[in-house]
Amino acid sequence: ARQVGSGNKLVGCAAYLQSNLSPRCLAKRQTDFLRQDILVDAYKHRAKSVVMLAAKRMGEEIKKGHSQPVAWNNCHMYLIKAAMAHCHLYCVESFFDGVNSTDASQPAVDALMSLCQLYAIFGISQNKGDLLQDGYINGEQIDMLERQLIDLLAIIRPIAVTLVDSYDIPDKMLSSVLGRYDGNVYENLYEWAKKAPLNKKEVPAAYKYIGPFLKE
Amino acid sequence: INPDIAEERRNAKFDPVELTYVIDGGKEKTERRRYLESEVLNDPSFDDPMDISFMTDEQRHTNSVRKAIQVVRRTQELEISNPMELIWFRAATNPLEVPSLSLHTSMFMTTIVNQMTLEQRSQWESAAKKFELIGTYAQTELGHGTFLRGLETTATYDPRTQEFEIHSPTLTSMKWWPGNLGKTVTHAIVAAQLYTKGHCMGVHMFMVPLRSLETHLPHPGVELGDIGPKFGYSNIDNGFLRFNHYRIPRENMCMRHSQVMPDGTYVPPPHKKVSYGSMLPIRSAIVGNTGWALAKGCIIATRYSVVRRQSELIPGTKEAKILDYQSQQLKIIPNIATSFAFILTGKEMMKTYFDSLAEMNEGNFSSLPELHATSAGLKAFTSAVVASGLEELRMSCGGHGYSKASGFPELYTTAVPATTYEGENTVMFLQTARYLMKV
């Protein structure tokens, strides 16, 4: 933020702080929220605005006569939000980059892209206050975005099991009766319970208290 | 195969292995990973004597160390030295637990390689690689965590004997938490305030022998122990360490970047943050690891949610698969998306780390502030999201998610320490914010 203020050219993962972003979200219809440029711009806008707001609040604290460390402490709420927004943008961009660089079949890429779009849309929905606060996005657009989220859930639901199969984690490494590849959950929960240490004896050690108590 | 889950797989429009290749980075890598995993999964010496949920903490510690040593033997026999392949192999041996001796192969070795001179490396690197000694990384103290400058352990140079005297001057200066410190390791990289010629030169790293290589007893002047039962990590002897005027040779200071000459003259490092370097690969790796922890939770919740049926979605029909309810989809599908995002972001982060490391090895430290800020923030962001995500996925399995049979209790308690280790998350966010304010 300080370097942006001084006009220095930024490089690296914070270069967006200097980019000319649209002041308003350009989505006009629901499906626009599937576009990478629209989604990434929203994250860039959010990160830039909360970073700059944190810098502004820091400046105001200093102007009040507070020392730098006291000003910093008084701005933790803004600063942590700024760091989170910056990291969230990094994850969204990395996800899109990962999807765009795959050479899998079209159905597989489509599945991954749907997941990526859902990740980005879900994050905006969860943090919509940041974008509504400065008027970047309006209530109507949020409604379209959340409708798109629901449509994506319906697209991903039928392939959910295949998606998690693709993590390729064998049962022995997953170590979960509920998550077994064969889905035979209930019979194996029963087998697992029978092996529990408390089931080694029909009458537990605690009977030394139970027995006399019942006879009292 | 349960007919409900079989039906789901018949609906698939693509072969899941295609996405496996994307995640692993190509077909060859997937095949190599599967081969290495099969070496573990088909080797009875890696089997647990019983379900770890049924073991005591001491049984788990002993079993975990046994398996870690077996990993060393087998990986040497199979001539596996690639870091990623070693991670795959170890992960297969410890499905739900963090593997024992993992700090030896991560931060202990990383510090030797990145913070010691070539001469020092010739002494320690080979011994560490051959496991002639077992090490850990002792930074955190009982009363001090992420704030490095607050550490109290001292290393005072004595030019007469050319030794450092390592000392714990207060109760709060005891080293507290390092993995395998309590009962397992023989050596530690110790972070201590360096004093020479009467001046404090800040925190530096020292190679400190802790236990006899013959008897495994602590050396005189070294007090060691386990810190006791924890929320998770039941197989790991996280330890405490107290020094009482314990002496080590001058050559045991990590001197690649800053040095103490025999007469006590201090030579400062070229960049003030180079000594923080050992944290960077771990923080970078945490990003991808969190994605994998969440992935495991997603597998469990998704598969269970197509087997479990509950209530009538349409009155008068069969009980519905719970994944058919939109509310269940909202609990699970965003977490699937998030796990993919974090796995791919983790790959990007590790690439950035290795690129920066190559630059730093050539004396260019310009990327260090961005790497430091990014790895700190992403570690905090991803670990926090995964902690809440795993809890949401556990709850999506109803009551059975609370049983250890589900895997969630071990999965959760193994994943959530990432929110506090290698830098408490709020402090990490503030470090990222500091960088953002500067730029």
Side-chain angles (χ1 to χ4, degrees), chain B residues 56-63 234:
Chain B
T56 65
D57 284 4
E58 188 174 8
Q59 286 173 322
R60 286 181 62 168
H61 171 250
T62 305
N63 182 49
S234 301

Side-chain angles (χ1 to χ4, degrees), chain A residues 1 105 165-168 176 192, chain B residues 9 18 20 33 339 406 439:
Chain A
S105 70
D165 284 350
S166 75
Y167 296 129
D168 201 32
S176 166
W192 185 87
Chain B
R9 293 195 175 105
E18 286 193 72
T20 309
R33 176 180 57 74
S339 71
S406 72
V439 300

Side-chain angles (χ1 to χ4, degrees), chain B residues 68-141:
Chain B
I69 289 169
Q70 184 63 5
V71 167
V72 175
R73 292 194 181 116
R74 281 299 288 149
T75 51
Q76 285 173 350
E77 284 167 9
L78 294 167
E79 297 181 346
I80 303 166
S81 56
N82 177 293
M84 196 64 229
E85 294 189 354
L86 285 168
I87 289 169
W88 287 334
F89 198 91
R90 276 194 212 101
T93 65
N94 288 70
L96 289 176
E97 295 173 322
V98 63
S100 261
L101 314 190
S102 52
L103 282 173
H104 176 96
T105 47
S106 56
M107 293 182 73
F108 183 71
M109 289 289 295
T110 302
T111 308
I112 290 173
V113 171
N114 294 335
Q115 301 208 35
M116 284 191 163
T117 63
L118 287 176
E119 193 181 352
Q120 289 178 308
R121 281 176 63 175
S122 68
Q123 179 185 354
W124 296 107
E125 188 178 357
S126 165
K129 271 188 179 165
K130 289 182 196 160
F131 280 86
E132 291 166 357
L133 49 90
I134 300 171
T136 189
Y137 185 86
Q139 178 176 299
T140 302
E141 296 175 354

Side-chain angles (χ1 to χ4, degrees), chain B residues 93-354:
Chain B
T93 65
N94 288 70
L96 289 176
E97 295 173 322
V98 63
S100 261
L101 314 190
S102 52
L103 282 173
H104 176 96
T105 47
S106 56
M107 293 182 73
F108 183 71
M109 289 289 295
T110 302
T111 308
I112 290 173
V113 171
N114 294 335
Q115 301 208 35
M116 284 191 163
T117 63
L118 287 176
E119 193 181 352
Q120 289 178 308
R121 281 176 63 175
S122 68
Q123 179 185 354
W124 296 107
E125 188 178 357
S126 165
K129 271 188 179 165
K130 289 182 196 160
F131 280 86
E132 291 166 357
L133 49 90
I134 300 171
T136 189
Y137 185 86
Q139 178 176 299
T140 302
E141 296 175 354
L142 180 57
H144 308 278
T146 310
F147 182 57
L148 268 180
R149 280 174 286 159
L151 297 178
E152 292 182 90
T153 304
T154 55
T156 307
Y157 185 63
D158 180 351
R160 289 170 305 170
T161 59
Q162 297 191 13
E163 290 174 314
F164 286 101
E165 186 182 275
I166 312 284
H167 187 56
S168 308
T170 60
L171 181 70
T172 49
S173 71
M174 292 171 77
K175 294 296 178 188
W176 201 272
W177 275 112
N180 290 133
L181 176 69
K183 296 292 170 186
T184 310
V185 301
T186 62
H187 287 64
I189 295 287
V190 172
Q193 301 284 358
L194 166 64
Y195 283 86
T196 184
K197 294 187 172 180
H199 297 287
C200 180
M201 298 303 177
V203 171
H204 289 69
M205 304 297 163
F206 300 84
M207 171 65 80
V208 183
L210 301 175
R211 290 177 179 273
S212 160
L213 293 174
E214 302 303 319
T215 64
H216 205 61
L217 288 170
H219 291 305
V222 173
E223 184 189 346
L224 283 166
D226 177 79
I227 65 165
K230 305 167 294 281
F231 190 44
Y233 275 26
S234 301
N235 61 315
I236 302 293
D237 52 322
N238 292 80
F240 64 77
L241 163 63
R242 192 174 200 178
F243 293 109
N244 184 14
H245 302 286
Y246 180 63
R247 286 182 167 250
I248 59 169
R250 182 185 70 94
E251 293 79 12
N252 282 28
M253 172 181 164
C254 298
M255 292 219 225
R256 179 172 175 187
H257 301 297
S258 51
Q259 298 182 357
V260 170
M261 308 309 282
D263 68 351
T265 303
Y266 178 72
V267 182
H271 192 289
K272 66 179 180 182
K273 282 195 175 172
V274 288
S275 63
Y276 295 10
S278 296
M279 288 282 193
L280 293 176
I282 303 297
R283 285 184 192 149
S284 302
I286 287 171
V287 177
N289 290 346
T290 59
W292 281 109
L294 195 62
K296 285 185 177 180
C298 290
I299 296 175
I300 298 166
T302 305
R303 288 181 183 160
Y304 177 65
S305 296
V306 298
V307 171
R308 176 73 177 192
R309 288 175 174 273
Q310 182 99 9
S311 305
E312 295 169 351
L313 182 60
I314 298 162
T317 60
K318 191 177 169 184
E319 282 192 295
K321 292 176 179 175
I322 56 174
L323 193 58
D324 286 333
Y325 293 98
Q326 192 184 77
S327 50
Q328 186 76 350
Q329 292 165 21
L330 277 165
K331 287 179 193 169
I332 295 175
I333 292 174
N335 280 308
I336 299 176
T338 303
S339 71
F340 273 91
F342 289 179
I343 288 168
L344 294 174
T345 303
K347 287 161 82 85
E348 180 68 23
M349 191 67 240
M350 287 309 288
K351 182 181 173 299
T352 305
Y353 167 71
F354 284 116

Side-chain angles (χ1 to χ4, degrees), chain A residues 180-199:
Chain A
R180 293 170 61 95
Y181 184 84
D182 64 11
N184 295 326
V185 172
Y186 298 124
E187 50 273 61
N188 284 288
L189 272 176
Y190 176 49
E191 290 302 319
W192 185 87
K194 283 198 289 188
K195 290 181 200 154
L198 209 54
N199 289 326

